[in-house]
Amino acid sequence: MSEFREITPGDIPHRDMHQLLLSGVAPRPIALVSTLSKDGIPNLAPYSFFNAYASNPPIVAIGPAIAAATGKVKDTYTNIVETGECTINAVTFAMTEQISLASCDFSPEVDEFVKSGLNPIESKIVRPARVKESPFQMECKLIQSIPLMRERGGNGNIMLLEVVKVHINEAMFINDRLDPQALDLVARMGYDYYCRAHGDGIFEVFKPKWNGIGFDALPIFIRESNLLTGAQLAKLAGVKEIPEKNEDLKALALIECSKIPELGKIYKIQPNIHQLEHIVSVLTDTDRIDLAWRLLVEFGM
Ligand SMILES: Cc1cc2nc3c(=O)[nH]c(=O)nc-3n(C[C@H](O)[C@H](O)[C@H](O)COP(=O)(O)O)c2cc1C
C-alpha cells in the first residue's frame, strides 16, 4: 500500500471530499458575518472560507456556498449582493458555542443575534451591526462577487470585500501590539473540530532577515543525521553564512558549553561525530545557533 492515499475530486461523494478538504486546509479563521436584508432584517452567520488577501487597502473574502442538495443560497450571500455591506467579526473561544448556534439554518426572517444571544452594536460606516463580544470587528463593502463553477450546482462563491473601518478592543493591546493570548481566537478544522489559538498552541518563529544558506549548504553528516530533525536543521540552515574556524572562539565555545547542564562533560573532550550531533541537537533546541555552528566548524568540518 502506498504511503499516500490518492484522491481525484469527483471520484468520491461530494460530502466526503468536502470534509477531506476542510480537514487538510486547516485551521481556517472564522468570519462571523453580520448583514441586513434589503428589508432591514439582521442576519448573523459564521464563515470559515475566509481570509485576508491585501492590506492596502485591506481586502478580505468569504466563500458562501450554495447548498448542493437544495440549491439554496445563504442569506449572507443574498444580503451582501443586495445591500453591498457587511461586518466581519473575529471569533473568540468564549463565542464558539454561540456562533455554532448562529450557524443553524434559520429562515431569512429570523434574527440570529436574538437566537445566539450575541449582542449587536452600531457600526460607523455600514448599516449592519457589529458583534459586541468580538474583540476585532471590520466594517466591509462588497467589491466583487465571483461565482465558482456555477453550472455544477452546489458551487461556492468568492465575495471580495473592502474593509472600510476596523474596531479593536483596547484590552487586546499589550505594548501597542495585538496580543494573541488576549485575543484567544478560534479556527475551524474538518468535521466538527475547532482549534483554539491560545497557551502553548501559540509560538514564535523568527524569520531570518537574510537569505539563509539552505539545507543544501549543510555538512552532509549533519543533513543526513538520524538524530537531528527538520526543524533543527532549518535553524542551522537559516544562518547568513558558515563561520570560519577560529581557535580563540573555539576555546570560548567550550567554556560556554561547560555551563550547559544537558551537555554533561562532553565539552571536555574532542567530540566525535555522534557526540557532535547530540550537542548540536541540544543547542538548536535552545536557539544557541551561533554556538552550534562554532562547534560544527571546529570539530565537524
Ligand atoms: C464555524 C463555521 C464555519 C462555516 N463556514 C461556512 C463557509 O465558509 N461557507 C458556507 O457556505 N457555510 C459555512 N458554514 C455554514 C453556515 O454558517 C450556515 O449554512 C448558516 O446557516 C448560513 O447562514 P445564512 O444563510 O444566514 O447566511 C459554517 C458554519 C460554521 C459553524
Side-chain angles (χ1 to χ4, degrees):
M1 205 168 94
S2 157
E3 191 185 345
F4 295 99
R5 192 182 293 195
E6 194 177 298
I7 290 150
T8 306
D11 284 0
I12 60 170
H14 167 240
R15 63 176 181 284
D16 296 340
M17 189 62 229
H18 182 74
Q19 289 303 346
L20 292 177
L21 185 71
L22 269 57
S23 299
V25 185
R28 298 178 309 286
I30 305 172
L32 182 57
V33 187
S34 155
T35 53
L36 284 180
S37 73
K38 62 179 185 321
D39 301 325
I41 301 167
N43 191 88
L44 190 64
Y47 285 86
S48 70
F49 285 176
F50 164 56
N51 224 307
Y53 292 93
S55 51
N56 188 20
I59 293 175
V60 297
I62 57 165
I66 292 176
T70 60
K72 229 181 108 203
V73 175
K74 308 274 165 130
D75 299 338
T76 300
Y77 173 84
T78 310
N79 292 351
I80 296 178
V81 167
E82 289 184 351
T83 66
E85 298 184 333
C86 69
T87 74
I88 290 186
N89 305 271
V91 175
T92 65
F93 179 69
M95 295 162 66
T96 316
E97 291 288 347
Q98 284 168 287
I99 65 115
S100 178
L101 188 55
S103 81
C104 294
D105 192 16
F106 297 112
S107 56
E109 63 280 5
V110 172
D111 176 352
E112 287 95 353
F113 275 105
V114 175
K115 289 289 172 204
S116 67
L118 291 163
N119 289 293
I121 41 173
E122 216 174 287
S123 296
K124 293 283 165 66
I125 298 180
V126 301
R127 286 175 64 236
R130 297 175 276 144
V131 178
K132 185 164 186 273
E133 288 78 358
S134 170
F136 191 96
Q137 312 148 351
M138 297 180 282
E139 298 187 35
C140 304
K141 290 198 172 181
L142 178 66
I143 302 172
Q144 197 185 351
S145 180
I146 307 164
L148 303 173
M149 311 279 274
R150 180 141 288 171
E151 67 281 3
R152 273 205 188 166
N155 68 284
N157 297 278
I158 296 179
M159 305 191 96
L160 288 171
L161 301 152
E162 180 175 347
V163 179
V164 292
K165 186 73 88 184
V166 183
H167 307 263
I168 305 169
N169 185 322
E170 281 294 349
M172 302 299 116
F173 288 96
I174 294 183
N175 297 329
D176 217 30
R177 285 175 62 157
L178 262 180
D179 182 66
Q181 304 286 2
L183 282 165
D184 198 9
L185 298 181
V186 286
R188 190 78 165 100
M189 310 188 76
Y191 309 98
D192 285 335
Y193 292 109
Y194 287 78
C195 91
R196 181 179 186 181
H198 198 255
D200 289 349
I202 295 176
F203 57 96
E204 282 183 292
V205 173
F206 297 100
K207 183 180 159 184
K209 292 185 178 54
W210 43 77
N211 286 341
I213 58 168
F215 271 50
D216 52 324
L218 294 173
I220 296 225
F221 83 96
I222 282 293
R223 200 183 342 151
E224 294 182 350
S225 156
N226 289 325
L227 179 72
L228 295 170
T229 64
Q232 292 170 327
L233 294 180
K235 288 184 185 180
L236 292 171
V239 297
K240 197 172 185 178
E241 58 196 5
I242 296 178
E244 305 267 302
K245 278 184 189 277
N246 179 313
E247 281 301 317
D248 293 341
L249 292 178
K250 178 180 175 182
L252 285 175
L254 288 174
I255 293 170
E256 218 175 309
C257 286
S258 71
K259 297 177 192 153
I260 301 172
E262 301 96 298
L263 295 183
K265 297 265 181 283
I266 219 155
Y267 62 88
K268 287 200 166 161
I269 53 171
Q270 289 272 329
N272 63 31
I273 295 291
H274 294 299
Q275 289 165 328
L276 202 50
E277 278 182 68
H278 168 71
I279 296 172
V280 167
S281 167
V282 170
L283 294 180
T284 49
D285 270 352
T286 49
D287 289 327
R288 294 162 164 122
I289 308 304
D290 288 348
L291 188 52
W293 265 116
R294 176 56 50 208
L295 296 174
L296 277 174
V297 168
E298 303 300 346
F299 299 108
M301 295 165 75

